[in-house]
Amino acid sequence: MSRPLIIAVDGPAASGKGTIAARLAAHYGLPHLDTGLLYRAVGIKVLGDGHSVDDAEAAEAAARSMIPAGLDQDARLTTGEAGEAASRVAGHPGVRAALLELQQDFASQPGGAVLDGRDIGTVIAPDATAKLFITASAEVRARRRWRQLTARGDVIAFEDMLADILRRDERDAGRGAAPMIPAADAVLLDTTDLDIEAAFDAARRIVEAARASR
Ligand code: C5P
């Protein structure tokens, strides 16, 4: 049997990592886990239960009860509020520890898997076959997210979207627990000037090169 193909896709909000990860998963016939959804679901549960996102105990309890099935169907998780709550609960080490095993189990399926997030290449799957760190300028990322949200009827000013993206970058990169940094052996892919087809093509070539070098 061929070796499992584990692909780690990390990067900041709206860098294109989710779309690239989904396309890679379809291309290689692998299961895909958007790990941001786990943190979003924890954030929304904590708020829904009437707790503060700063309440580490409540957040850890919510993380321990997390079941990933069906999260990709939950529209509440795609809101800006969920993203903000996710990035707050993601700073609690207990939350990260509670979600670790579930993500590692997903990564170690027999044929492999594609996971996207912030710490896949560094913490969740340090032995991944291929590691990509997707970036794009903050302005381009804010524009993409703003287009997505306004296309579905949300009302948000572009300047607020940009401020939101910058705040989230700073919090994700600056936290003590599993900060967002590229793994030493990750390949950087800047999608600022790439459309999705070009970005996917570049990502696929990075994966092929990593496979060939193993
Ligand atoms: O990727 P997405 O925007 O859905 O992630 C929401 C938030 O969840 C991020 O801003 C980050 O704080 C957190 N997150 C994380 N580690 C991951 C995935 C997401 O800390 N692996």
Side-chain angles (χ1 to χ4, degrees):
M1 204 176 123
S2 59
R3 298 170 64 165
L5 172 60
I6 302 174
I7 306 176
V9 185
D10 289 303
S15 57
K17 68 182 186 312
T19 310
I20 289 173
R23 290 282 303 262
L24 287 171
H27 179 76
Y28 290 108
L30 293 171
H32 168 217
L33 181 64
D34 169 356
T35 64
L37 285 178
L38 301 172
Y39 292 91
R40 286 169 178 263
V42 171
I44 287 296
K45 172 139 180 51
V46 168
L47 293 177
D49 288 348
H51 300 291
S52 156
V53 283
D54 296 326
D55 183 337
E57 243 172 70
E60 187 177 332
R64 294 220 172 273
S65 69
M66 195 46 58
I67 299 167
L71 293 183
D72 53 348
Q73 309 295 324
D74 189 342
R76 288 173 311 165
L77 303 186
T78 62
T79 62
E81 185 198 11
E84 178 68 16
S87 110
R88 302 274 293 273
V89 296
H92 300 307
V95 168
R96 308 201 72 86
L99 297 175
L100 182 72
E101 193 176 314
L102 185 158
Q103 296 175 82
Q104 290 189 326
D105 285 350
F106 192 92
S108 48
Q109 296 181 68
V114 182
L115 288 86
D116 74 85
R118 303 290 189 289
D119 63 342
I120 309 303
T122 50
V123 176
I124 305 298
D127 296 327
T129 323
K131 298 182 187 179
L132 293 86
F133 194 90
I134 315 294
T135 59
S137 74
E139 284 72 19
V140 163
R141 289 186 289 122
R143 179 72 57 197
R144 288 175 185 160
R145 191 49 59 85
W146 181 82
R147 281 208 189 105
Q148 262 173 12
L149 295 182
T150 51
R152 70 173 198 197
D154 291 9
V155 178
I156 178 158
F158 173 73
E159 289 68 29
D160 293 342
M161 193 74 255
L162 180 59
D164 183 63
I165 290 259
L166 291 172
R167 193 172 54 241
R168 206 125 75 78
D169 283 358
E170 198 179 319
R171 193 182 295 133
D172 288 349
R175 69 181 171 221
M180 174 180 67
I181 38 162
D185 52 350
V187 178
L188 296 190
L189 174 57
D190 186 335
T191 66
T192 303
D193 298 316
L194 301 181
D195 65 14
I196 181 56
E197 286 308 321
F200 167 64
D201 210 48
R204 194 180 47 75
R205 276 186 270 119
I206 292 168
V207 173
E208 287 306 319
R211 274 178 116 179
S213 72
R214 286 247 157 178

